Amino acid sequence: MNIRTRLGSFAVSAAAALLLTTGAVNAKNFKIALGDSAGSAQEALGKAFVAALEEKSGGEHTGDLFLNGQLGSEQDTVNEAAMGTLDMSILAINNVTPFSPTVGILTLPYVILSLEEAETLTQGAIGDELTANTIEDAGVRILGWSYTGFRRLTNSVRPVETVEDLQGLVIRVPKNEIMIATYNAWGVNPTPMAWAETFAALQQGVVDGQDNPYLTINAMKFDEVQTYITEIRYIFSLEPLVISEQVFQDLSEEDQQMVIEAGKEATLVSAQFLRDQEEAIKERLTTEGGMEITQPANNEEEFISLATEAVWPQFYDSIGGIEKMNEVLAILGRDPVE
């Protein structure tokens, strides 16, 4: 072999080694924190995202799900993602609100009244705007949405049909101003509590009740410590998948587009997951779990009027003004507020 042949062979080998090394460096295994357990809507969204990402990247990129708050509380994971020490988190929207207040418009009581309305807001211009705000305010980017359903009130003391029935019950809520204000409007002083502490608090009788969607009640096995469900629908639970903006900006443009598209696909899967699972889970909670379902009196009229009249005006400034509220109501085909 002459020197030219040897040099050519060396160049080919070096180029091949460089390609292999580059692929290894660029390959990404995202660490994804979840607050909820297996079987939850959070897990369904996470699995769908990872599957879509693997398909789009030809297996180059993937992700690992860390369930049950293994990587810290949901609010902790926002801080860690903002600092770039955590790749991604799936968490309740109310735990994003303290860092980016405008997303609170999605947690105001009785704004979202159906899954279809939730899809309209999150997948349209409002969702795009809130994503931009969370990047600026919190250093995280919303990639996808988990649709978990209406937060239903559960308790271990008595059936609740009216606001009067709530009085005297000790209800756990997240550390979220809007949700606390809603219970205050109903004449109840709720107990703010971290998610990781909730099951034990219900089990030990520290609190009487809590509110969460059917999917979460089932995944967290709350039927073991709660008896009564009231089908209020004051908040439709949304749980976004967020990525650290630092991590996102470190990706190539091609990889950025991959994670964005994977998030969109996972969002659609999440909506279908809710449609497919909720009724079956509700049936299981009542037949196997022994829970008793109560409907709020008068189509929830008292709950609605007290909450919307007292709570909405308190948060107009933080969500972007009454104009933003009316923009959302117009998108949903409802009358404006004054």
Side-chain angles (χ1 to χ4, degrees):
M1 181 182 294
N2 61 34
I3 185 65
R4 181 175 298 178
T5 303
R6 287 200 300 271
L7 287 174
S9 177
F10 175 79
V12 170
S13 298
L18 180 61
L19 285 172
L20 289 172
T21 302
T22 302
V25 170
N26 289 341
K28 185 72 177 175
N29 184 7
F30 293 102
K31 184 181 290 186
I32 308 172
L34 286 75
D36 284 354
S37 62
S40 65
Q42 288 188 2
E43 185 195 42
L45 178 70
K47 284 184 172 180
F49 172 79
V50 171
L53 183 61
E54 289 176 344
E55 180 181 359
K56 292 178 182 302
S57 67
E60 183 178 7
H61 302 316
T62 187
D64 288 329
L65 306 182
F66 293 83
L67 305 172
N68 293 313
Q70 293 178 60
L71 303 184
S73 73
E74 291 190 346
Q75 288 195 13
D76 286 344
T77 65
V78 179
N79 279 320
E80 291 162 9
M83 294 185 294
T85 57
L86 175 67
D87 298 324
M88 299 183 187
S89 178
I90 302 175
L91 68 164
I93 190 69
N94 49 271
N95 286 318
V96 179
T97 307
F99 304 95
S100 187
T102 58
V103 302
I105 197 164
L106 300 178
T107 67
L108 285 176
Y110 301 104
V111 167
I112 296 174
L113 297 178
S114 68
L115 169 58
E116 290 70 29
E117 289 189 350
E119 291 176 293
T120 295
L121 293 180
T122 56
Q123 296 179 36
I126 293 296
D128 292 342
E129 181 180 330
L130 295 178
T131 295
N133 291 348
T134 59
I135 294 170
E136 181 176 352
D137 298 338
V140 299
R141 174 185 295 259
I142 298 171
L143 292 177
W145 298 88
S146 173
Y147 303 108
T148 315
F150 289 111
R151 296 183 73 105
R152 310 299 192 176
L153 175 68
T154 72
N155 82 92
S156 58
V157 179
R158 58 176 174 264
V160 172
E161 294 184 15
T162 66
V163 171
E164 180 62 29
D165 293 333
L166 263 180
Q167 307 312 304
L169 295 180
V170 181
I171 305 296
R172 175 268 174 188
V173 295
K175 298 174 183 178
N176 177 268
E177 292 182 357
I178 292 174
M179 299 173 77
I180 292 169
T182 301
Y183 276 93
N184 288 163
W186 293 334
V188 175
N189 186 22
T191 301
M193 181 180 292
W195 181 231
E197 301 169 7
T198 301
F199 186 92
L202 293 168
Q203 188 176 45
Q204 296 164 12
V206 175
V207 294
D208 299 317
Q210 61 85 53
D211 64 64
N212 261 293
Y214 279 118
L215 272 63
T216 306
I217 294 168
N218 181 66
M220 300 304 294
K221 296 181 169 49
F222 282 159
D223 54 300
E224 296 178 2
V225 292
Q226 300 277 269
T227 304
Y228 304 102
I229 300 174
T230 303
E231 285 201 317
I232 60 172
R233 53 197 174 106
Y234 84 113
I235 289 176
F236 188 96
S237 188
L238 295 163
E239 298 177 302
L241 164 64
V242 301
I243 183 173
S244 163
E245 186 63 11
Q246 288 189 41
V247 171
F248 182 82
Q249 291 301 331
D250 284 342
L251 300 174
S252 68
E253 289 187 12
E254 181 182 3
D255 289 344
Q256 288 178 355
Q257 194 59 36
M258 281 184 195
V259 298
I260 288 172
E261 292 302 321
K264 290 179 179 179
E265 288 189 16
T267 296
L268 299 179
V269 171
S270 176
Q272 193 58 47
F273 179 79
L274 178 60
R275 291 185 173 99
D276 291 343
Q277 298 293 323
E278 189 173 47
E279 284 304 313
I281 285 173
K282 178 177 173 180
E283 178 72 14
R284 194 207 73 77
L285 290 171
T286 54
T287 56
E288 298 177 27
M291 299 189 81
E292 178 183 318
I293 296 177
T294 299
Q295 298 300 323
N298 300 316
N299 294 318
E300 213 169 335
E301 182 178 331
E302 185 182 16
F303 288 94
I304 294 171
S305 61
L306 288 172
T308 55
E309 291 171 13
V311 179
W312 285 11
Q314 292 183 48
F315 295 94
Y316 287 154
D317 288 345
S318 66
I319 65 170
I322 193 170
E323 298 82 8
K324 182 59 62 180
M325 186 77 209
N326 283 331
E327 179 185 342
V328 167
L329 292 174
I331 290 170
L332 298 177
R334 293 196 224 141
D335 294 333
V337 292
E338 297 179 357

